[in-house]
Amino acid sequence: MADNVFALVDCNAFYVSCERVFRPDLESRPVVILSNNDGCVVARSDEARACGVPMGEPIGQVRHLIRRHGIVVFSSNYALYADMSSRVMATLSLFADALEVYSIDEAFLRFPCRHGGAAALGDRIRRTVLRDTGIPVSVGFGPTKTLAKLANRCARLRLDGSACVLDPATGGVSVDRLLEETPVEAVWGIGRQHARRLRRAGICTARLFRDAPDGWLRETCTVVGLRLAHELRGRSCLSLETCPPAKREICSSRAFGRPVHERSVLAEAVATYTGRAAVKLRRQQSRAAVVSVMIESDAFRAGPQYRRTSTRRLPVPTADTGVLLAHAVACLDAIYRGGITYRRATVMLSEISSAAHVQPDFFAPHDHQCSRRLMAAVDAINGRFGADTVRYAGSGLERAWTMRRRRLSPRYTTVWRDLPQVRA
């Protein structure tokens, strides 16, 4: 194998597994998780899949399956899932110095080249994560990130859950055989458009893609596709991103849980979304120079349709919630129109730069030192006692417009009153 070996650890049916950690009675029962406003199926257990529940299907289209098979349904509990994800990642960090959190339920790990022993290491990772967090995971090893991704795909299909190692020299799975059995669209990084183009050219498997001429790959799939082919050949071209780059745009948006008509209710939503975006901005030590607000009507309801966006540039880039909020509300006032049934509001922060590189305005009345201390205090309080413990009054108190989550499970790990109780 190469100088390094990569491992991809993927949590199995992550949202469902998080619910089952605190509800062991759900083990082996069909479970589905719904999207915002309890709209569509976004996660399902293997048992629910076997019952014929499709991914992404509106809940109304599968009610007959839910009743027939006794499927347990949950609303998305994002606070629980985010906290459980951080626990899984903290456990994985004990195994390798280099770790890339790829998504809420996936992480890449890098190890020095191992001549044998990877399968045992993978099984130890599985046992440790399950013991410490209750979350089952699949582990795949390969000499590159792309091959590790394919190895993980193979590991998920194993009945015993054992790790998959792409290393024929040490008795692992044959790379050629796996690539021959893998459709080209299943290769990590190949999107739909490139997959259609490759299939039209007769390249239907990952092995054919790997063996295609470099010049043709570069012309057809750009340099990104060429790198993927090199990765499938065992040459590492994608390094581990242990420090993910700061976001260039931050968006906060949700569909409302009920129809909204009033400007005051829209302003509460805009204020709430602005506060959430500002927290993300400060978390990555950045400042934003542009605020945009979009409001849109419900295309599925009778009546006039409306969608407008307003944008304002700030005199000085900032991460102060109060300053951003003032500009966001001004954007809303510029585009609000009465007599419309609104279903969604969106706040976008853009032209983001590092806080260390912001040039203050000598003539601006805003006290930047005071602002930083205030925001740091607010973030510290909310970090200790829970989100929105301290918030701007403009974001509202009742928030009846928030997304509908009628089947929400308790936030077992982040809210004191929701802690599981044990009686002996």
Side-chain angles (χ1 to χ4, degrees):
M1 295 181 74
D3 293 339
N4 292 301
V5 63
F6 294 88
L8 177 65
V9 181
D10 184 14
C11 300
N12 301 338
F14 180 60
Y15 287 4
V16 172
S17 296
C18 289
E19 301 289 354
R20 283 176 166 172
V21 168
F22 301 95
R23 289 281 307 277
D25 60 302
L26 298 179
E27 197 66 38
S28 301
R29 292 183 60 186
V31 179
V32 299
I33 311 296
L34 302 180
S35 63
N36 294 342
N37 288 309
D38 295 343
C40 303
V41 176
V42 294
R44 55 189 177 160
S45 65
D46 291 339
E47 296 81 6
R49 185 186 296 110
C51 292
V53 178
M55 184 68 77
E57 192 76 5
I59 183 66
Q61 302 298 320
V62 295
R63 290 193 191 281
H64 64 290
L65 294 175
I66 292 172
R67 289 192 295 267
R68 182 187 308 162
H69 300 286
I71 299 174
V72 182
V73 181
F74 288 101
S75 303
S76 292
N77 191 336
Y78 299 117
L80 175 64
Y81 307 153
D83 185 70
M84 294 301 293
S85 173
S86 67
R87 295 173 187 231
V88 170
M89 301 308 167
T91 303
L92 293 178
S93 66
L94 302 175
F95 289 92
D97 294 334
L99 179 143
E100 174 189 339
V101 179
Y102 180 64
S103 68
I104 192 172
D105 62 345
E106 290 180 279
F108 285 101
L109 291 79
R110 188 181 63 214
F111 305 92
C113 182
R114 291 173 177 269
H115 298 287
L121 173 62
D123 290 337
R124 192 163 77 250
I125 290 173
R126 289 175 47 247
R127 290 194 301 269
T128 304
V129 173
L130 184 63
R131 181 196 66 199
D132 291 357
T133 68
I135 302 295
V137 299
S138 299
V139 185
F141 288 91
T144 68
K145 291 174 71 175
T146 306
L147 286 173
K149 186 84 171 175
L150 283 177
N152 184 276
R153 184 173 181 267
C154 177
R156 289 201 305 270
L157 300 176
R158 293 185 168 181
L159 296 178
D160 62 354
S162 59
C164 175
V165 182
L166 292 188
D167 183 13
T170 59
V173 174
S174 166
V175 176
D176 286 345
R177 189 182 71 187
L178 180 60
L179 295 183
E180 186 67 42
E181 296 171 351
T182 302
V184 68
E185 59 268 17
V187 175
W188 178 49
I190 294 183
R192 282 185 191 170
Q193 186 174 353
H194 279 154
R196 285 196 295 266
R197 190 176 303 162
L198 290 166
R199 282 190 170 274
R200 284 197 297 267
I203 296 179
C204 303
T205 68
R207 183 172 183 176
L208 291 173
F209 175 75
R210 180 199 65 180
D211 297 338
D214 284 2
W216 185 86
L217 283 170
R218 187 185 185 100
E219 180 181 351
T220 306
C221 302
T222 72
V223 69
V224 176
L226 180 59
R227 286 174 183 163
L228 288 177
H230 285 176
E231 286 258 318
L232 293 178
R233 297 168 191 168
R235 175 185 168 191
S236 181
C237 301
L238 305 175
S239 59
L240 229 57
E241 295 184 4
T242 54
C243 296
K247 294 181 180 179
R248 297 181 180 180
E249 291 183 335
I250 294 177
C251 177
S252 183
S253 177
R254 288 285 188 277
F256 303 133
R258 66 169 180 83
V260 170
H261 306 87
E262 306 88 348
R263 181 265 174 202
S264 59
V265 178
L266 276 176
E268 286 185 4
V270 167
T272 300
Y273 300 158
T274 302
R276 293 174 182 171
V279 170
K280 297 177 182 178
L281 193 64
R282 293 193 293 272
R283 195 172 291 156
Q284 68 175 29
Q285 309 269 322
S286 298
R287 303 291 183 264
V290 174
V291 178
S292 301
V293 173
M294 181 181 74
I295 52 176
E296 56 186 303
S297 59
D298 191 343
F300 298 99
R301 286 179 175 269
Q305 300 299 311
Y306 184 75
R307 178 177 179 176
R308 290 291 185 277
T309 302
S310 178
T311 299
R312 287 174 66 97
R313 177 173 292 277
L314 282 61
V316 178
T318 184
D320 187 306
T321 300
V323 176
L324 294 170
L325 179 55
H327 287 275
V329 172
C331 287
L332 173 64
D333 290 338
I335 57 177
Y336 172 74
R337 195 172 86 184
I340 304 292
T341 301
Y342 294 98
R343 69 175 294 270
R344 180 184 295 271
T346 301
V347 175
M348 174 80 75
L349 305 182
S350 56
E351 293 196 20
I352 293 174
S353 58
S354 170
H357 299 150
V358 172
Q359 179 66 47
D361 187 344
F362 181 78
F363 298 100
H366 191 59
D367 188 336
H368 297 282
Q369 292 294 337
C370 179
S371 166
R372 280 194 288 270
R373 290 195 296 269
L374 175 61
M375 292 298 101
V378 170
D379 291 342
I381 293 171
N382 289 335
R384 180 176 179 181
F385 297 102
D388 287 341
T389 300
V390 177
R391 63 178 186 265
Y392 281 79
S395 62
L397 298 177
E398 298 298 329
R399 294 183 176 180
W401 47 267
T402 54
M403 63 180 177
R404 184 171 58 252
R405 293 194 288 180
R406 294 173 180 167
R407 304 171 185 264
L408 185 65
S409 58
R411 291 163 291 181
Y412 298 103
T413 63
T414 57
V415 176
W416 285 107
R417 65 176 178 273
D418 287 350
L419 283 176
Q421 296 182 7
V422 178
R423 294 181 177 85

